[in-house]
Amino acid sequence: MNNIRRKEINKVKEKLENLLADLDGLKSEEEEAYDNMPESLQESDRGGEMLENIEYLDEAYNAVDEAIETLGNIY
């Protein structure tokens, strides 16, 4: 791989790392919102949806993290 493509890959990795931080922040905000809900609301449909969204954010985080790791294998 030439240096130009290697630099482009590094730019993509940086963008993904920023995205990873954004996803982590959003997940933390959703978890905090859920934790601050009364228990009766946590057990409602809305609470269930929030937990599901937290799981989706976690899955997205893991996928982006894996992509970063994979790109890090390129030399």
Side-chain angles (χ1 to χ4, degrees):
M1 176 166 296
N2 68 25
N3 285 335
I4 293 171
R5 284 190 294 275
R6 201 172 283 120
K7 286 179 184 179
E8 288 299 314
I9 288 171
N10 284 331
K11 287 180 187 178
V12 169
K13 275 182 60 182
E14 287 177 19
K15 290 176 184 177
L16 289 172
E17 288 165 352
N18 289 333
L19 177 60
L20 197 66
D22 290 345
L23 287 169
D24 189 45
L26 289 168
K27 181 182 164 214
S28 292
E29 288 176 20
E30 190 72 0
E31 287 173 329
E32 186 176 336
Y34 176 81
D35 290 342
N36 289 327
M37 291 174 76
E39 190 174 325
S40 61
L41 288 178
Q42 287 179 347
E43 296 172 1
S44 71
D45 287 343
R46 179 66 184 131
E49 289 171 359
M50 290 177 78
L51 284 177
E52 196 171 303
N53 290 335
I54 291 167
E55 289 178 24
Y56 289 139
L57 287 166
D58 193 46
E59 286 179 29
Y61 179 94
N62 290 334
V64 172
D65 191 42
E66 185 176 335
I68 292 168
E69 185 178 327
T70 301
L71 290 174
N73 293 328
I74 295 173
Y75 52 92

